[in-house]
Amino acid sequence: MIMARYYYFVLALFLFACTNTTTTQNSTDPFDYVDPFIGTGFHGHTFPGATLPFGMVQLSPDTHIMGWDASSGYHYEDSTIYGFSHTHLSGTGIGDLGDVLLLPYSNSTALKPVATFDKTSELAEPGYYKVHLKNLDVTAELTTSKRVGFHRYSFKNNSDRNILLDLGHILQPNWGHRTMENKVKIVDNKTIEGVQKTKGWAEDHLVAYRIDLSEEVGQFKTFVEDKETKGSSFTGKDIKIHFSFPENDEPLLVKVALSVVDEEGANKNMQAELPGWNFEQSIEKAQNEWREALQGITISTSDETVKTNFYTSLYHSMLSPFTAQDVDGRYRGMDKTIHQAPKGFTNYTVFSLWDTFRAFHPLITIIRPQKAGEWAEALVQKYREGGLLPKWPLASNYTGTMVGYPATSVMADALAKGLVPNANLNHWKEAAVTSATWQAEWLEKHKGKRAAEVMPKHIYFKEKYGFVPSDSISASVSYGVEMAYYDWCVAEIAKASGDTKTANEFYEKAKNYRHYFDTSTGFMRGKNADGSWRTPFNPKYSDHEHADYTEGNAYQWSYFAPHDMDGLIELFGGKAAFENSLDSLFTTSSEILGENASADITGLIGQYAHGNEPSHHMAYLYNYTNASWKTQKYLDHILYDFYLPEPAGIIGNEDCGQMSAWYVLNAIGFYQVCPGNPTYTIGRPVVDKALVKVPTGTFEIIAHNNSKENKFVEKVVLNGKTLDTPFFSHNDLMKGGKLEFFMTARP
């Protein structure tokens, strides 16, 4: 086994102190530097359990079930475990899932035992998790295949061996998540199968499962709505089944296969992926898959902290979207019917698109280009099934979460980079145009449900006025400036399909961001239907979900027109004025005004907020002025101060890989400001060398004279030629070659 990382949870004067992380010194294996506990503290909302790259199963301990910090089911400061469930979200601001929970126990007669544990007994590595349940005197180990979770329980008391299957367990029940129905059948003394239905962030979520036990159960006790019930088949909302096993010195093994369709699908998944009982072999297979996945980008640096941050970020960038399709090709579509996937197609879920279009999806176009193309096609397929492109699809549900229609960004970028050569571009254009155009019947059909927000009334106002009036609806500025960018993406998709007329219509709509710019204040600002500015106005004011800005304020929303940087700079009065405005952003006080200010505004440098996605491109905007050195200065601050190798080491919600993907790209020295435009702009690398695998071989990045002191870039050389501007193309990267940074201590 790879060396253990131990975590010491110190409780002193009731204050949480960060732990020490030990790492194999001078290791060359990226696997050794992945720390799944990073992001499990503060509000990173990651989980430490076992999963595979983009796997259906995320088998992890549930320590936290109430409130914001229960979004992933785990928080590092907790000392109790409710059990081990098989589905989790990584880094979201809303929770769901937590399906099919198991808890091994001794020494308890409680209907619902709860375990205690010490942090020193926890171990987490890619594909493997281990913990000792102190009061229950059981050591639990977890690993997984893509669709099957594998448990090993070692009981110290070999004559008191029990497992609780808790089918009433869910995450965030205080936020409206609830169990709707459970149907479970005890097939025989070693097999249980069933279907669990819940309602929460996903309005209609179904997971089917099959549980195989390595030993026959000695006794079953089943409780339906807390009343003991006899039989072998049960229906109810809250079902708990206690399995008791005969005395045995050997560890007890449990396999749980999931299906998005039915019990038969779960059984097929089990037989295809994990027919045997070799736990050590399963760990090895899972960890070898992670070793291979982590080879997409390899780095060289003497800074152990950078290595840990980098490879953990790369790991976090491969946890979602999830595979949502059985081995026989069946999956549940957005129309809630069962589909048979055509050859070469895989259905996925958990696309946090408003977050991930910015860095996560661009990263995947580099390290997993085929996967990026598959995901873009999967989004279009969701349109075919459901009628609109999704914003945040979860378990075959439209959630309507966040701003605009960001799927168009992922689609436009995939087309610009040639990743979907066989795409039906007429279907793609239809999906993009329909989703960007007011559909009143959609709103009526889904009234009162989350899906209604996939077609928010902001789109209606955009078409009526050309802008979204702030006295008619909240988040007007955020929707307005982002829809302008998405309309540019729609135009690019239409252009690729050969429809020049539609492309030109949407290129015009892409200029709508200009409506919100107030020259008297220098900010994007709420505008009323009569054309007057909304008052009062303070650029530092935030009111979560009730102001003109989503999860932010005017400072954090006034610099978003990535598709038209020349036009944006012109609004500000030219390059010098734009630079001065950026200076104000980064150097003004970090005071956030408003009693109900958004908790997502974290990681502040002035009013730049790295803890939330709208700010993620802003440091690079100096590259469009004559002060690129300021880009390098602020990136250095962000990379070294906002990413730390500790549980609280992510400065905001991880958001399904976005925060981590940002680090991966920026650590090797570049970023894509405008997905859909396949151009990268130069930053400040914190690695000495990086090798990026590309179809032609490798793209080598070297930072000469790199150090914490030498944070500025003197010149950049691409394949022997000095760059005149801080930009290069995706095509340059994909052809392979060498990008050289020459670093200096002086700007």
Side-chain angles (χ1 to χ4, degrees):
M1 291 283 294
I2 292 296
M3 59 146 284
R5 296 183 179 88
Y6 294 96
Y7 297 85
Y8 300 92
F9 185 74
V10 180
L11 198 59
L13 301 177
F14 302 98
L15 295 177
F16 172 67
C18 294
T19 64
N20 293 322
T21 304
T22 61
T23 309
T24 305
Q25 296 297 313
N26 301 317
S27 171
T28 58
D29 188 348
F31 186 98
D32 292 342
Y33 291 93
V34 176
D35 181 352
F37 286 110
I38 291 176
T40 61
F42 185 54
H43 303 303
H45 295 175
T46 63
F47 61 84
T51 188
L52 288 185
F54 317 116
M56 182 186 291
V57 169
Q58 307 81 39
L59 178 51
S60 192
D62 287 352
T63 69
H64 215 93
I65 60 174
M66 298 288 190
W68 195 34
D69 286 332
S71 294
S72 73
Y74 183 95
H75 197 274
Y76 193 82
E77 294 188 38
D78 296 330
S79 57
T80 58
I81 290 177
Y82 297 94
F84 307 101
S85 65
H86 291 76
T87 57
H88 294 89
L89 298 168
S90 178
T92 57
I94 307 176
D96 204 294
L97 309 182
D99 299 303
V100 191
L101 179 132
L102 295 174
L103 178 70
Y105 68 92
S106 299
N107 312 326
S108 178
T109 59
L111 179 61
K112 184 176 172 61
V114 176
T116 61
F117 71 107
D118 293 330
K119 289 296 175 182
T120 54
S121 77
E122 264 192 308
L123 168 64
E125 298 171 345
Y128 177 72
Y129 174 86
K130 178 181 179 180
V131 67
H132 180 68
L133 307 180
K134 188 176 180 181
N135 61 321
L136 305 179
D137 220 1
V138 184
T139 296
E141 298 172 271
L142 313 175
T143 190
T144 185
S145 68
K146 184 176 289 186
R147 299 173 177 86
V148 186
F150 201 179
H151 308 235
R152 179 164 66 184
Y153 302 144
S154 299
F155 295 82
K156 188 170 183 181
N157 184 349
N158 63 10
S159 62
D160 187 14
R161 305 159 70 236
N162 312 280
I163 296 176
L164 166 66
L165 169 61
D166 186 354
L167 297 171
H169 171 85
I170 48 175
L171 299 177
Q172 292 187 335
N174 59 323
W175 282 21
H177 189 200
R178 59 190 185 274
T179 303
M180 302 304 292
E181 184 183 58
N182 274 294
K183 291 184 177 180
V184 59
K185 179 181 179 181
I186 298 173
V187 179
D188 56 41
N189 283 353
K190 295 177 70 174
T191 310
I192 303 94
E193 62 183 25
V195 175
Q196 188 173 34
K197 294 182 180 179
T198 59
K199 179 182 176 68
W201 190 14
E203 293 268 356
D204 178 16
H205 173 44
L206 178 149
V207 60
Y209 56 89
R210 178 184 173 91
I211 302 173
D212 282 0
L213 305 166
S214 63
E215 303 175 23
E216 289 193 358
V217 177
Q219 183 181 29
F220 291 94
K221 282 189 177 181
T222 302
F223 298 84
V224 179
E225 322 304 347
D226 293 345
K227 293 182 179 180
E228 187 169 0
T229 307
K230 303 296 183 181
S232 60
S233 295
F234 309 94
T235 300
K237 291 185 177 181
D238 182 4
I239 299 178
K240 297 179 178 68
I241 304 179
H242 292 259
F243 313 143
S244 297
F245 296 86
E247 183 173 340
N248 194 331
D249 291 332
E250 294 299 314
L252 179 63
L253 302 176
V254 184
K255 298 185 296 186
V256 181
L258 301 187
S259 166
V260 293
V261 179
D262 54 26
E263 300 95 315
E264 179 186 358
N267 188 28
K268 288 180 180 178
N269 293 341
M270 179 88 76
Q271 299 310 314
E273 292 187 0
L274 203 59
W277 292 95
N278 192 324
F279 192 79
E280 292 295 336
Q281 187 179 74
S282 294
I283 296 173
E284 182 179 8
K285 186 175 181 181
Q287 297 197 327
N288 283 342
E289 185 166 339
W290 274 114
R291 282 191 174 85
E292 183 178 355
L294 292 165
Q295 295 297 322
I297 305 176
T298 54
I299 62 169
S300 297
T301 175
S302 59
D303 190 327
E304 298 291 297
T305 293
V306 169
K307 284 184 182 178
T308 300
N309 285 338
F310 183 87
Y311 288 118
T312 303
S313 293
L314 195 57
Y315 167 80
H316 279 145
S317 298
M318 291 185 278
L319 299 185
S320 58
F322 308 162
T323 300
Q325 181 171 302
D326 291 348
V327 293
D328 61 6
R330 294 183 303 154
Y331 69 93
R332 190 173 302 274
M334 301 299 286
D335 54 4
K336 300 298 187 295
T337 66
I338 305 306
H339 295 256
Q340 182 68 44
K343 185 178 180 180
F345 176 82
T346 302
N347 185 56
Y348 293 90
T349 191
V350 183
F351 288 88
S352 183
L353 294 167
W354 179 79
D355 306 293
T356 56
F357 84 79
R358 305 164 198 268
F360 169 78
H361 283 282
L363 172 64
I364 297 300
T365 67
I366 297 170
I367 64 174
R368 295 281 187 103
Q370 182 178 351
K371 187 74 70 179
E374 288 179 11
W375 290 345
E377 182 57 44
L379 293 172
V380 177
Q381 179 63 19
K382 292 182 191 304
Y383 160 78
R384 296 184 185 112
E385 295 163 2
L388 285 180
L389 290 170
K391 280 188 190 180
W392 216 120
L394 174 59
S396 301
N397 285 264
Y398 287 103
T399 70
T401 301
M402 301 316 297
V403 176
Y405 25 97
T408 58
S409 172
V410 176
M411 294 159 61
D413 202 40
L415 287 179
K417 293 172 180 176
L419 302 181
V420 276
N422 299 318
N424 184 326
L425 292 180
N426 285 328
H427 283 182
W428 280 50
K429 179 195 70 174
E430 178 187 296
V433 170
T434 302
S435 302
T437 307
W438 177 241
Q439 311 290 336
E441 63 279 6
W442 176 277
L443 202 62
E444 187 62 31
K445 178 181 177 181
H446 297 280
K447 197 171 184 179
K449 297 182 179 179
R450 290 184 181 274
E453 291 305 310
V454 186
M455 182 53 58
K457 209 165 182 183
H458 301 80
I459 298 175
Y460 164 80
F461 289 120
K462 177 193 72 169
E463 294 187 353
K464 182 176 181 179
Y465 297 111
F467 67 94
V468 182
S470 63
D471 53 351
S472 298
I473 197 167
S474 64
S476 60
V477 176
S478 299
Y479 268 87
V481 298
E482 287 216 349
M483 288 192 299
Y485 163 64
Y486 300 141
D487 283 342
W488 176 84
C489 294
V490 175
E492 290 288 293
I493 295 166
K495 181 181 176 182
S497 76
D499 186 346
T500 303
K501 181 176 181 295
T502 299
N504 288 337
E505 289 174 2
F506 276 87
Y507 282 133
E508 281 300 309
K509 292 180 182 181
K511 299 175 184 177
N512 283 343
Y513 72 90
R514 301 183 181 198
H515 286 291
Y516 306 93
F517 190 77
D518 175 16
T519 55
S520 67
T521 62
F523 290 97
M524 298 289 181
R525 185 174 170 187
K527 179 178 285 189
N528 297 318
D530 64 5
S532 62
W533 296 114
R534 179 168 178 160
T535 57
F537 174 73
N538 189 311
K540 295 181 180 179
Y541 178 80
S542 168
D543 187 351
H544 190 68
E545 296 186 348
H546 297 99
D548 297 332
Y549 310 95
T550 299
E551 297 182 359
N553 59 26
Y555 267 108
Q556 292 138 26
W557 278 99
S558 291
Y559 302 94
F560 189 81
H563 58 294
D564 186 20
M565 287 306 304
D566 289 342
L568 181 65
I569 291 170
E570 180 185 351
L571 285 182
F572 277 85
K575 287 186 177 182
F578 188 60
E579 180 186 340
N580 288 337
S581 181
L582 291 173
D583 288 345
S584 174
L585 167 72
F586 282 99
T587 61
T588 191
S589 79
S590 294
E591 180 185 24
I592 303 295
L593 302 176
E595 293 181 0
N596 189 39
S598 177
D600 295 280
I601 305 174
T602 57
L604 288 164
I605 306 174
Q607 289 287 314
Y608 171 91
H610 192 71
N612 208 21
E613 282 68 24
S615 290
H616 277 188
H617 67 295
M618 290 180 186
Y620 281 96
L621 298 184
Y622 282 112
N623 280 352
Y624 297 85
T625 73
N626 297 319
S628 291
W629 66 272
K630 293 179 181 178
T631 288
Q632 297 144 30
K633 170 187 173 182
Y634 290 118
L635 290 177
D636 182 84
H637 183 359
I638 298 164
L639 286 161
Y640 280 115
D641 295 340
F642 290 162
Y643 291 86
L644 303 173
E646 58 192 40
I650 298 177
I651 203 70
N653 294 166
E654 161 65 6
D655 284 318
C656 295
Q658 168 61 24
M659 289 289 288
S660 289
W662 190 97
Y663 184 89
V664 170
L665 289 170
N666 284 272
I668 63 175
F670 60 87
Y671 193 73
Q672 185 178 1
V673 168
C674 180
N677 177 347
T679 301
Y680 301 111
T681 188
I682 294 299
R684 180 270 192 268
V686 293
V687 303
D688 300 332
K689 183 178 180 180
L691 292 176
V692 183
K693 286 188 177 180
V694 296
T696 55
T698 58
F699 184 75
E700 184 179 15
I701 300 167
I702 300 175
H704 299 282
N705 305 317
N706 193 36
S707 68
K708 286 188 176 181
E709 293 73 27
N710 293 347
K711 68 179 71 172
F712 299 108
V713 179
E714 183 178 1
K715 67 176 180 177
V716 181
V717 176
L718 176 63
N719 294 328
K721 182 179 179 181
T722 301
L723 295 181
D724 295 326
T725 63
F727 301 94
F728 67 99
S729 73
H730 180 74
N731 189 46
D732 290 331
L733 192 159
M734 288 293 108
K735 286 189 298 186
K738 184 184 294 185
L739 183 69
E740 297 176 85
F741 292 81
F742 291 82
M743 309 302 292
T744 179
R746 295 183 299 173

